[in-house]
Amino acid sequence: MPERELFLKPEAKKEEKKDKEIEQAQKGIGTFFDDNKDGQKRVENILSKIEPFLKSDLIDGDKVRQSLRGCSAIKEREEFIEKVLSSLEPISDLKKNNPEAFEEIERRVFVEGVEVRGFKKINEILSYGVNEDFAHIHLAPAGQFGISVLKMVRGGLEELAKIVKENKEIKRVEAISWIVADHPKILERLGFTVVGEIDEEIRRKYHANDNGPISRATISREDFLSRYLKE
């Protein structure tokens, strides 16, 4: 019998994903600690990222704020990470106990965030931006990559194809999302080549609120237009 099973049982897969999410959350909190020498600034930056969740009637926002502000005096990095994670448990509980409500807030944060950074919304799932010679798409969080999500993604890509056709400068399209990390085979069926996980700089800049893996996939202009441009 092999030392490690090739295929994990559903329960084991859930635990593995949970462990990865915790690990990524620890990394994210560690980044807030490293980027700010001032304890109050660290906490205020974290609060600014999670404020939409704290405004929800489903979370005691004042309690979370008070708990986080109590972390501002912590000098040790590992203790700071541990205490902040503990303070954020109500948000983790919301994700576990009411995933639909969690995703609704998360999606709203995503759309507002990409628009603030200059991206344009195509639909509730997909937004895009243009950087020099490539268009990069961002896909909003969703609990399951089901038929309805896939339909919205395809529809968004068809709309984006019209934009790419008009912009001769765009040489490739890139997708950066949890979907790329969780469902690489689906991205490959959509015509993309999966490159791998994004680096910490891109995560900090564009995906600071995402605790799970985020990966990147790419497709050439020619292949993208051939697949998605509907004449």
Side-chain angles (χ1 to χ4, degrees):
M1 184 174 179
E3 293 182 3
R4 179 177 176 82
E5 292 184 57
L6 292 177
F7 300 99
L8 297 174
K9 295 180 180 179
E11 296 80 5
K13 288 183 179 180
K14 287 180 181 179
E15 287 301 316
E16 186 177 84
K17 184 175 182 180
K18 181 180 178 182
D19 290 342
K20 286 183 179 179
E21 288 181 350
I22 293 174
E23 180 182 352
Q24 196 60 60
Q26 291 171 331
K27 283 184 180 181
I29 296 168
T31 298
F32 280 108
F33 185 93
D34 297 336
D35 287 352
N36 299 281
K37 301 301 181 183
D38 181 80
Q40 289 187 350
K41 183 66 173 176
R42 289 173 187 149
V43 169
E44 291 305 319
N45 284 349
I46 293 173
L47 283 170
S48 70
K49 296 291 185 182
I50 65 170
E51 187 60 30
F53 291 95
L54 304 186
K55 290 179 179 179
S56 169
D57 294 335
L58 302 173
I59 290 177
D60 187 341
D62 289 338
K63 184 177 180 179
V64 175
R65 292 185 190 94
Q66 183 179 2
S67 180
L68 279 173
R69 289 192 171 114
C71 299
S72 61
I74 298 174
K75 303 297 184 183
E76 296 297 325
R77 188 177 190 273
E78 294 307 313
E79 182 184 359
F80 180 81
I81 292 173
E82 180 182 350
K83 295 295 185 182
V84 169
L85 270 179
S86 178
S87 299
L88 297 177
E89 281 184 2
I91 297 178
S92 299
D93 291 341
L94 176 65
K95 182 176 182 178
K96 179 175 67 174
N97 300 324
N98 195 340
E100 290 184 359
F102 179 89
E103 288 164 18
E104 182 180 349
I105 298 171
E106 198 174 32
R107 194 171 299 166
R108 186 170 66 248
V109 171
F110 173 87
V111 171
E112 292 173 356
V114 295
E115 289 179 346
V116 166
R117 293 192 297 270
F119 297 112
K120 297 180 180 179
K121 173 182 172 183
I122 293 179
N123 58 31
E124 293 304 317
I125 285 289
L126 191 145
S127 299
Y128 80 97
V130 177
N131 185 3
E132 297 180 351
D133 65 346
F134 70 96
H136 42 123
I137 60 175
H138 293 269
L139 295 125
Q144 300 292 331
F145 199 106
I147 294 175
S148 60
V149 174
L150 183 58
K151 184 176 180 180
M152 291 182 71
V153 171
R154 288 186 181 277
L157 293 176
E158 290 173 5
E159 289 300 314
L160 180 60
K162 299 174 186 177
I163 297 166
V164 172
K165 180 185 178 183
E166 297 300 319
N167 191 333
K168 306 297 185 184
E169 300 296 320
I170 297 175
K171 304 303 181 186
R172 69 185 189 278
V173 176
E174 292 192 346
I176 299 176
S177 173
W178 64 275
I179 294 176
V180 183
D182 283 6
H183 306 280
K185 296 297 183 183
I186 291 179
L187 264 295
E188 290 172 358
R189 289 200 292 271
L190 288 171
F192 288 78
T193 298
V194 177
V195 177
E197 284 203 43
I198 60 175
D199 59 34
E200 289 303 316
E201 182 180 352
I202 294 177
R203 176 178 285 276
R204 185 185 301 119
K205 188 174 182 180
Y206 298 115
H207 299 274
N209 292 327
D210 298 318
N211 293 331
I214 302 290
S215 291
R216 181 168 66 93
T218 185
I219 182 173
S220 70
R221 172 190 180 88
E222 293 75 15
D223 289 345
F224 184 75
L225 292 179
S226 174
R227 182 178 290 261
Y228 293 107
L229 185 63
K230 307 299 181 183
E231 299 292 352

